Amino acid sequence: MTQSGYATERETTEGRVFTVTGGDWNTVTDSIDPLSNEKIVVNMGPQHPSTHGVLRLVLELEGETVTEARPVIGYLHTGIEKNLEYRNWTQGTTFVTRADYLAPLFNEAGYCLAVEKLLGIEDQITERANTIRVLFMELNRISSHLVWIATTGMELGAISMMLYGFREREYILDIFEETSGLRMNHAYFRPGGVAQDIPESAVKKIRDFLTYLPKKLKEYEALLSGQVIWHERTQGVAVLDVTGCLSLGVTGPVLRSAGLAWDLRKTMPYCGYENYEFDVPTAQTGDVWGRYLVRMAEIRESLKIVEQALDRLKPGPIMVADKKIAWPAQLAIGVDGMGNSLEHVAKIMGQSMESLIHHFKLVTEGFRVPPGQVYVGIEHPRGELGVHAVSDGGTHPYRVHMRDPSFVNLQAIPAMAEGALLADVIAGGASLDPVMGGCDR
């Protein structure tokens, strides 16, 4: 048994094996002399109701003041990026959608845009497919922000906010279920378009939602915005100015709350966002209060985009015309709501032997993507979501790496927490809105 700078290691017949342990805890505690130093070390998480998932914070305290904070991640590691290398390009959407599980449609959108860029078919995506993508991404942005305000309200004492936020989110999940068949992890966006068209019943529900939610937003603000305790817990808490945000790579509402109107939908448009009228909300405070104001304003801007998308929803195809890529699309669902209808199967099998072989090859192997590498960035509810996709010319991705905003933004916790009170760690961490599925993908 030997010791390296990394971890304990030993040689076996299978090769070198490393034993990785939680040594960081011992390192921190051993450095503190309990007799001459009044500092204590508190382990917060990973099983903690206020860390937004399995996030661990090792906090060094002097009284109620945090003198050092260490975020520890990796407790929700799913190997999504590695799994993509063993599935075809279309099947990849079923994996990436599970990364940030509160914003699955953004994961799918970033991945599909990267695949389409590798294929060189960005200009062939139909107007209806792009409009549906924008429509569903903005609904997903609203649902994600509703979870943020619900959970942050609960963590700061406004417990009823938890009930209201999730109540309104259910409305959006019903719309997703009616269209894609699933409430979460939809795999609805596919390279080349979307899996199936949006039904009229879902369009009606969305129009009803446009009149329903604004009234509820006013209720939220009546509950929180003038509340003295809410002010005390958010104003001047976990401050991070523009310089700090840019130094750490922090994007999204946290950056915009510090005054910089950086939004990829405006600065680097995709999916036709340049054709929509909306504002980029900002605040100047750079604190938890500013992040609350920005997210509330973003919900209203997303409602404006959703309304415009509904008006732009013209009849037409939802998938590219190239049949060597367009799978699966134009499906006819069976009477049980699952699988293909018999008529659809008969049509595929009855056309010609060549088309049946082609369909079989497309479903089992998938299409080939020309060799190359691309990077695509989109505006996720938590900041810039980037997808770096590499193809070696095969039917599987050679490598896909996601720049998840939760992962990058978590770097800001020490900057916001050190020197502040222990209670403010909760408010500051919540204001980043981290989702550990995206962080540990």
Side-chain angles (χ1 to χ4, degrees):
M1 184 91 62
T2 59
Q3 181 70 38
S4 73
Y6 173 64
T8 305
E9 62 184 65
R10 67 181 190 278
E11 298 291 340
T12 69
T13 55
E14 302 295 325
R16 183 173 296 178
V17 174
F18 290 94
T19 305
V20 184
T21 63
D24 55 339
W25 176 261
N26 295 330
T27 305
V28 174
T29 53
D30 290 348
S31 66
I32 295 174
D33 180 359
L35 297 178
S36 61
N37 199 322
E38 294 186 359
K39 291 180 181 176
I40 61 169
V41 177
V42 173
N43 188 57
M44 180 179 158
Q47 282 81 28
H48 193 286
S50 295
T51 54
H52 283 245
V54 281
L55 169 66
R56 178 185 175 203
L57 297 174
V58 180
L59 303 172
E60 188 179 284
L61 303 177
E62 190 165 359
E64 283 287 310
T65 303
V66 178
T67 55
E68 187 178 349
R70 294 182 177 200
V72 184
I73 62 169
Y75 294 94
L76 194 59
H77 182 59
T78 49
I80 285 170
E81 291 179 0
K82 194 65 181 173
N83 273 299
L84 291 175
E85 298 169 21
Y86 299 91
R87 299 292 186 276
N88 66 44
W89 291 93
T90 300
Q91 289 171 330
T93 56
T94 64
F95 283 87
V96 295
T97 189
R98 287 166 164 79
D100 184 329
Y101 39 80
L102 292 184
L105 291 166
F106 290 90
N107 305 328
E108 298 172 23
Y111 172 78
C112 290
L113 288 170
V115 177
E116 288 157 10
K117 195 170 182 180
L118 281 169
L119 288 166
I121 61 169
E122 308 106 293
D123 298 334
Q124 298 175 36
I125 308 303
T126 66
E127 184 183 349
R128 186 172 179 88
N130 268 331
T131 305
I132 291 174
R133 285 179 174 183
V134 169
L135 176 66
F136 275 70
M137 278 192 285
E138 293 309 314
L139 285 171
N140 199 177
R141 191 185 310 279
I142 294 169
S143 73
S144 179
H145 284 350
L146 286 172
V147 172
W148 176 81
I149 193 170
T151 52
T152 304
M154 181 186 69
E155 286 159 11
L156 301 190
I159 297 174
S160 51
M161 193 60 246
M162 182 78 169
L163 306 175
Y164 303 152
F166 274 88
R167 178 186 64 190
E168 270 66 85
R169 177 174 176 258
E170 280 297 306
Y171 207 119
I172 296 176
L173 297 189
D174 286 345
I175 294 166
F176 289 164
E177 185 176 11
E178 193 152 337
T179 305
S180 70
L182 294 162
R183 289 158 49 86
M184 297 168 68
N185 306 332
H186 318 276
Y188 178 58
F189 295 175
R190 307 287 172 87
V194 295
Q196 52 205 37
D197 210 343
I198 180 171
E200 277 304 314
S201 56
V203 172
K204 183 181 183 305
K205 273 190 176 176
I206 296 170
R207 291 209 181 273
D208 292 342
F209 185 69
L210 289 175
T211 59
Y212 170 78
L213 187 61
K215 300 171 189 171
K216 298 302 177 185
L217 294 178
K218 289 178 182 175
E219 290 179 15
Y220 300 169
E221 288 170 336
L223 180 70
L224 299 176
S225 294
Q227 228 284 342
V228 177
I229 298 175
W230 186 256
H231 289 181
E232 292 290 330
R233 295 300 307 274
T234 59
Q235 292 182 354
V237 172
V239 175
L240 194 67
D241 61 13
V242 172
T243 306
C245 289
L246 295 178
S247 300
L248 294 167
V250 172
T251 52
V254 181
L255 175 60
R256 292 191 283 275
S257 74
L260 184 60
W262 180 261
D263 188 314
L264 293 181
R265 294 173 295 174
K266 287 282 191 186
T267 54
M268 302 174 190
Y270 52 93
C271 291
Y273 268 110
E274 63 274 16
N275 302 316
Y276 293 84
E277 288 291 328
F278 64 99
D279 299 319
V280 179
T282 59
Q284 302 301 321
T285 55
D287 56 5
V288 179
W289 172 256
R291 290 159 209 156
Y292 158 70
L293 295 178
V294 165
R295 288 189 175 100
M296 289 296 288
E298 281 190 11
I299 292 175
R300 290 191 166 96
E301 293 304 315
S302 290
L303 287 172
K304 283 162 57 175
I305 298 173
V306 167
E307 187 168 12
Q308 293 172 61
L310 286 178
D311 294 338
R312 293 170 59 87
L313 207 55
K314 305 288 190 295
I318 56 163
M319 184 61 84
V320 291
D322 187 349
K323 294 299 180 186
K324 292 187 191 290
I325 296 169
W327 176 83
Q330 290 87 45
L331 299 182
I333 306 298
V335 291
D336 58 355
M338 301 170 64
N340 296 329
S341 69
L342 294 176
E343 295 82 3
H344 185 67
V345 174
K347 180 183 175 187
I348 293 171
M349 299 187 69
Q351 288 173 338
S352 68
M353 180 57 72
E354 288 75 17
S355 63
L356 181 59
I357 292 170
H358 172 70
H359 180 82
F360 181 78
K361 294 271 284 181
L362 188 60
V363 172
T364 54
E365 290 182 7
F367 50 77
R368 294 190 176 274
V369 172
Q373 59 179 324
V374 297
Y375 176 86
V376 171
I378 66 171
E379 190 61 39
H380 183 283
R382 278 158 275 290
E384 179 179 343
L385 171 70
V387 177
H388 177 210
V390 184
S391 172
D392 60 359
T395 58
H396 297 179
Y398 177 77
R399 180 79 173 94
V400 175
H401 176 63
M402 300 169 77
R403 180 222 184 264
D404 191 273
S406 291
F407 175 74
V408 180
N409 292 358
L410 275 173
Q411 296 179 97
I413 284 185
M416 297 190 308
E418 290 174 3
L421 296 176
L422 176 60
D424 294 341
V425 175
I426 303 293
S431 70
L432 292 175
D433 192 19
V435 174
M436 302 314 294
C439 183
D440 296 340
R441 78 237 162 270

